[in-house]
Amino acid sequence: MDDHPAESGIRTIAHVVRSDEKFFASFVLMSGANDRPSVKDGGFMYDQETLARWDKQYIWHPFTQMEEYADMEPLIIEEGDGSYLIDVEGNRYIDGVSSLWVLVHGHGKRELIDAIEKQSNMLCHSTLLGLANTPAIILARMLVDIAPNGLSKVFYSDNGSTSVEIALKMAYQYWQQRGEKKRKRFISFSNGYHGDTIGSVSVGGINLFHKVYGPLLFKTYKSPSPYCYRCPLKLHKETCGMACIEEFEKIVIKHKDEVCAVVIEPHVQGAGGMIVQPDGFLSAVRKITKAHNLLLIADEVATGFGRTGNMFACNKERIEPDFLCVAKGITGGYLPLAATLTTEEIFSAFLGPFDTFKTFFHGHTYTGNPLACSVAIENINLFEKEKTLENMNDKIALLKKELQRFSALPHVGEVRQEGFMVGIELVKNRKTKRPYAPKEKIGQKVTQEARRRGVIMRPLGDVIVLMPPLAIEKPTLKRLIDVTYESIKVITGMLENGDKNRR
Ligand SMILES: *Cc1c(COP(=O)(O)O)cnc(C)c1O
């Protein structure tokens, strides 16, 4: 890539230069000979071509094949407005996956911006290691209030993966300190996803993401995924009597003396492909873990904060886990924050004089960050003020109704929906359920088509994902669905014709 910009001096693009109160100054400067960003009047200086070039030159994008990315026109987002994202050219896109599943009340929400601003004038950060801060305290109290019963202690971190790591370490140490030293293993589910750090990958079950790291991982027992469309036990939903639960129970009985906890994404396996569990599956898992004295870790990083239409997916089957992991929606999508909630029973096993070393020796630098906590508080307040969950009911029904016509498309294998989590699985052959070859990149192509039509989405392999912001307006939701439908129709139709119509 060309290192030396032909251009130099100051260049601006009219639409990125604004001084309204809504936006922190974003002036544009092409710096001179040495190609370094300059700062003038407190704002960043850039122009679009420079940004595009620097993006490819300096950023290693997550979960992205950078060889392909290098050939693509980067889409650079500059502004958010409700359910829309706006790029540096001023194009508006519906944020169809809520900026990777985090958005609740939309972009640019005044109350959330004000909460951050107000707190930033007071205190931006102080450590939670042995010190407290006001927003962290208030938020902990609120989380305990809204969480399933029995969860009364809040341990903060900054992302979903760490919220799971913390639950794993706590569960392990709990048993160690109770004298049950043989318990070193976990049970989790195939197709499960719990994050990208080594511990959370160890309990994960997505081969594509996790296989290469195999030698680094600790051993876990995997129970079959309740993926009815492609049942790992080769049974049928109508007649199986939830045989996967029997499999789960067998694994529990066989290994219970060496197991600390069972890890599950309640009700929907998200990154595994929006796999919706049959009703009763979750409560059966809870019943079996209780009966055999195993702890249950509910990873609600994706499902929490209203995603499924309930505040937490655990509420749907009225289960009470021993750990609840939350992140993504906790701040409404404004700042990184996570929490691991647990019970008095777990907490008390960590108490004792310092020199018994029962302390939980874990804590991230930005744990309990006051800015993140203050926006999380306002996020939860807004759920009540704006009746966010109640207002979802109509939109969930609309989604359900509009999704029906997708099943008529010849390459739609299955449409799965739980609240505002939707997965549309595309298949090469509907009758045999044969998937597309990976090199056909069907999910990616549909996503690119949707982008041309003004929608941003991100697929999970061949599963097209819709995760609209909870506060999306009905007409925008309708438009999102229509664009998705058209994009699937056009792309799958083209591939059917042997790709010859590709633009
Ligand atoms: C996204 C996700 C995680 C990981 O969260 P990060 O913030 O990306 O580390 C963990 N569990 C589930 C269920 C998720 O969807």
Side-chain angles (χ1 to χ4, degrees), residues 156-171:
Y156 289 114
S157 61
D158 4 84
N159 62 76
S161 310
T162 53
S163 75
V164 174
E165 291 286 344
I166 286 160
L168 298 174
K169 284 173 75 176
M170 279 179 176

Side-chain angles (χ1 to χ4, degrees), residues 395-441:
K395 292 183 283 190
I396 291 172
L398 175 76
L399 246 177
K400 190 167 185 173
K401 183 169 149 276
E402 293 287 329
L403 284 170
Q404 277 169 13
R405 67 190 150 111
F406 283 66
S407 305
L409 288 170
H411 292 279
V412 169
E414 190 183 44
V415 179
R416 300 184 279 270
Q417 179 198 3
E418 182 72 56
F420 264 24
M421 299 177 92
V422 174
I424 303 158
E425 182 164 341
L426 303 179
V427 288
K428 183 96 181 172
N429 183 323
R430 187 148 71 174
K431 227 165 123 199
T432 62
K433 302 184 183 178
R434 182 160 64 91
Y436 282 95
K439 71 170 188 313
E440 292 192 84
K441 292 191 280 191

Side-chain angles (χ1 to χ4, degrees), residues 101 159-161 193-195 265 299 301-302 328:
W101 316 359
N159 62 76
S161 310
Y193 176 78
H194 302 287
E265 289 165 90
D299 176 357
V301 170
K328 292 191 170 98

Side-chain angles (χ1 to χ4, degrees), residues 230-460:
R230 297 184 188 279
C231 176
L233 307 172
K234 312 256 183 293
L235 299 171
H236 295 282
K237 194 175 175 176
E238 295 71 30
T239 51
C240 70
M242 247 197 281
C244 50
I245 277 294
E246 283 167 35
E247 284 303 306
F248 171 71
E249 188 164 27
K250 275 187 213 156
I251 294 171
V252 167
I253 289 169
K254 183 157 176 219
H255 300 291
K256 60 181 180 179
D257 295 335
E258 41 165 334
V259 167
C260 308
V262 173
V263 190
I264 190 169
E265 289 165 90
H267 244 288
V268 186
Q269 292 185 309
M274 299 295 150
I275 297 165
V276 180
Q277 297 156 15
D279 287 338
F281 182 85
L282 179 63
S283 46
V285 166
R286 170 77 285 196
K287 209 170 136 209
I288 292 164
T289 54
K290 271 238 166 93
H292 297 285
N293 201 23
L294 299 187
L295 301 171
L296 183 67
I297 299 171
D299 176 357
E300 293 233 26
V301 170
T303 51
F305 293 92
R307 242 323 120 190
T308 65
N310 288 96
M311 190 50 112
F312 296 103
C314 285
N315 301 143
K316 240 195 113 169
E317 296 194 7
R318 294 176 213 278
I319 69 139
E320 295 166 5
D322 299 289
F323 295 92
L324 181 77
C325 305
V326 290
K328 292 191 170 98
I330 189 173
T331 62
Y334 280 63
L335 285 172
L337 180 71
T340 307
L341 278 73
T342 191
T343 61
E344 220 51 52
E345 162 68 19
I346 301 291
F347 176 76
S348 60
F350 289 74
L351 302 178
F354 179 76
D355 59 5
T356 58
F357 303 119
K358 287 182 173 177
T359 306
F360 186 51
F361 292 106
H362 187 117
H364 302 285
T365 312
Y366 279 99
T367 286
N369 175 260
L371 284 179
C373 290
S374 65
V375 73
I377 291 168
E378 191 54 30
N379 178 43
I380 297 170
N381 281 336
L382 283 175
F383 266 95
E384 190 158 331
K385 266 192 241 162
E386 307 210 331
K387 299 195 176 7
T388 307
L389 293 177
E390 291 90 322
N391 290 337
M392 279 175 76
N393 291 332
D394 276 1
K395 292 183 283 190
I396 291 172
L398 175 76
L399 246 177
K400 190 167 185 173
K401 183 169 149 276
E402 293 287 329
L403 284 170
Q404 277 169 13
R405 67 190 150 111
F406 283 66
S407 305
L409 288 170
H411 292 279
V412 169
E414 190 183 44
V415 179
R416 300 184 279 270
Q417 179 198 3
E418 182 72 56
F420 264 24
M421 299 177 92
V422 174
I424 303 158
E425 182 164 341
L426 303 179
V427 288
K428 183 96 181 172
N429 183 323
R430 187 148 71 174
K431 227 165 123 199
T432 62
K433 302 184 183 178
R434 182 160 64 91
Y436 282 95
K439 71 170 188 313
E440 292 192 84
K441 292 191 280 191
I442 185 75
Q444 217 174 309
K445 282 177 184 158
V446 169
T447 302
Q448 281 157 4
E449 183 63 29
R451 190 182 287 190
R452 282 192 280 272
R453 293 163 185 261
V455 166
I456 289 180
M457 47 171 75
R458 187 172 167 85
L460 293 160

